[in-house]
Amino acid sequence: MTVPIAIIGAGIAGLSAAQALLKAGHTPHVFDKSRGPGGRASSKRSDAGSLDLGAQYFTARDRRFVDQVQRWQASGCVEEWKPQLFNSHGGQLSPSPDEQTRWVGTPRMGAIAKAMLGDMNAVFGCRITEVFRGKHHWHLLDAEGCSHGPFSHVIIALPAPQATALLAAAPKLAGVAASVQMEPTWAIALAFDKPLETAMQGCFVQDSPLDWLACNRSKPGRETALDTWVLHATSSWSKQHIDLPKEDVIEHLHGAFAELANCAMPAPVFSIAHRWLYARPASSHEWGALADADLGLYACGDWCLSGRVEGAWLSGLEASRRLLEHLE
Ligand code: FAD
Ligand code: NAI
């Protein structure tokens, strides 16, 4: 009997590793504490339709990821988004068109992870609290006290601070993960019963508590009766207001939106807030992935490269490459 490989985390990095291992003939078993896959690139189902509260869009620069995006596009889970982009600087709003190709999952960002997951072995609602080695193999312990295993190898595909705790068996890797600072983002969505009178569909913001806002329903496949907007606070505002109650966060960020948008700003008929504690690494790295090949323990995630969807996907690919290389 072949012993399967455990992957902790069903975000883009974990699923990318899982897909590469599956392709090479292995049997990955994926564990995630959430109810579904996607992590920071998932979408929230709500009374105002599906909302992309995390990753907004993604760009593809590495040839391997460009090819993957083309395959996703061909299978219908990704489409190009061509928003009317604006820039808000010192309170001045101005159009800011460019030539960058930007992609989104369709009909929601979470569609990509769903497609990647396919019919893989996966357990959701399962928070892993310990990764330990028995005589020959690895075992996982979850928050309910259940043990999972045996596994030949373990890939930990979590944000760095969460990975650190599970890397105790490989102190060197744990030390590297512990050195990565990840910053929070408060995200809110607002829905209006009449469309806002603005041409803006996405906006890069400076000099405000906000750093990005987008009209969610301007993305392909998201036609909804309500006019839906997603607003992201800057890392520094999010840090300063990390424990603010959600209603207050919504009030502040709605106010900041009203201040910068050159249009009437009614009260929303729907609002929601989400706090991403580990939204983005404070800086980029060039590690690809972390590996203790002799132990059979690996770590990957956006923080090993760039804090972007592409970085996460490439990092998962690198973790699987290093694991497969060691098996040869
Ligand atoms: P994650 O997506 O964080 O996946 C980790 C998974 O592990 C999660 O599903 C989590 O539930 C699970 N998990 C955590 N702890 C445990 C545990 N103990 N046991 C089991 N499971 C566990 N990128 C872009 O390219 N473009 C953007 O526009 C963009 N905007 C963003 C906006 C926001 C607000 C945020 C938060 C991120 C944004 N990003 C963007 C970044 C992008 O979302 C991430 O780089 C990428 O999704 C990270 O993937 P990952 O697999 O490395 O980690
Ligand atoms: P990109 O190339 O569209 O954007 C990179 C950066 O360039 C932008 O953040 C913005 O500052 C600037 N920029 C790009 N086009 C612009 C335009 N037309 N006008 C004015 N400024 C422009 O996308 P890339 O490199 O794939 O980056 C992903 C995006 O994800 C970034 O915007 C990044 O800030 C965001 N992100 C947000 C996170 C969060 O927690 N809020 C976490 C990770 C990524």
Side-chain angles (χ1 to χ4, degrees):
M1 189 193 83
T2 49
V3 181
I5 297 168
I7 300 185
I8 310 171
I12 300 294
L15 293 175
S16 161
Q19 281 205 317
L21 293 173
L22 207 57
K23 204 170 153 198
H26 293 270
T27 323
H29 281 216
V30 182
F31 297 85
D32 199 292
K33 67 175 181 165
S34 299
R35 274 187 294 171
R40 282 171 278 160
S42 58
S43 312
K44 172 90 183 159
R45 283 171 205 261
S46 79
D47 292 344
S50 276
L51 298 162
D52 302 335
L53 286 175
Q56 295 295 291
Y57 64 84
F58 55 95
T59 56
R61 292 168 188 152
D62 183 283
R63 172 63 17 215
R64 292 164 296 174
F65 189 56
V66 169
D67 291 345
Q68 176 62 72
V69 174
Q70 271 172 8
R71 289 193 291 275
W72 283 335
Q73 188 188 16
S75 73
C77 69
V78 157
E79 271 187 57
E80 193 178 342
W81 179 43
K82 296 179 182 167
Q84 302 235 34
L85 282 175
F86 278 67
N87 198 25
S88 172
H89 187 56
Q92 291 298 311
L93 196 60
S94 51
S96 189
D98 65 21
E99 299 295 313
Q100 177 67 57
T101 303
R102 294 183 174 81
W103 302 98
V104 293
T106 44
R108 59 188 72 87
M109 198 52 102
I112 300 168
K114 194 174 165 216
M116 289 174 87
L117 182 70
D119 55 6
M120 244 180 242
N121 283 307
V123 185
F124 291 99
C126 180
R127 187 163 66 83
I128 303 301
T129 53
E130 207 182 321
V131 175
F132 63 95
R133 190 152 174 98
K135 204 165 174 200
H136 301 292
H137 295 117
W138 290 99
H139 298 266
L140 313 180
L141 197 66
D142 70 26
E144 308 284 308
C146 294
S147 165
H148 305 265
F151 299 108
S152 60
H153 304 76
V154 180
I155 298 181
I156 297 171
L158 314 179
Q162 292 167 321
T164 306
L166 298 188
L167 281 167
K172 266 197 190 154
L173 306 195
V176 177
S179 73
V180 177
Q181 198 191 326
M182 293 198 67
E183 303 197 314
T185 295
W186 266 115
I188 69 163
L190 304 174
F192 303 98
D193 54 5
K194 286 203 196 86
L196 298 183
E197 286 177 16
T198 175
M200 174 169 70
Q201 293 176 320
C203 183
F204 297 101
V205 187
Q206 282 130 318
D207 312 317
S208 159
L210 294 172
D211 82 349
W212 164 258
L213 56 94
C215 178
N216 196 76
R217 71 161 183 179
S218 72
K219 297 178 182 178
R222 291 153 172 86
E223 296 81 14
T224 49
L226 296 174
D227 192 22
T228 48
W229 291 78
V230 170
L231 278 50
H232 285 164
T234 61
S235 301
S236 90
W237 191 93
S238 302
K239 251 187 267 179
Q240 278 164 23
H241 299 87
I242 198 76
D243 290 321
L244 204 63
K246 287 184 173 175
E247 318 77 79
D248 297 353
V249 171
I250 290 167
E251 194 185 321
H252 268 79
L253 299 184
H254 178 226
F257 186 20
E259 225 167 83
L260 73 81
N262 264 336
C263 64
M265 180 64 60
V269 293
F270 168 90
S271 61
I272 190 170
H274 184 84
R275 184 179 68 173
W276 298 100
L277 269 185
Y278 306 119
R280 57 168 128 208
S283 52
S284 294
H285 300 97
E286 289 183 5
W287 299 324
L290 308 185
D292 187 326
D294 293 331
L295 269 181
L297 197 55
Y298 299 79
C300 60
D302 62 343
W303 51 276
C304 290
L305 287 165
S306 64
R308 298 157 52 239
V309 169
E310 179 176 42
W313 187 87
L314 287 170
S315 178
L317 189 67
E318 178 62 7
S320 64
R321 190 193 67 75
R322 294 182 70 170
L323 190 159
L324 293 168
E325 173 186 73
H326 197 253
L327 288 180
E328 278 170 9

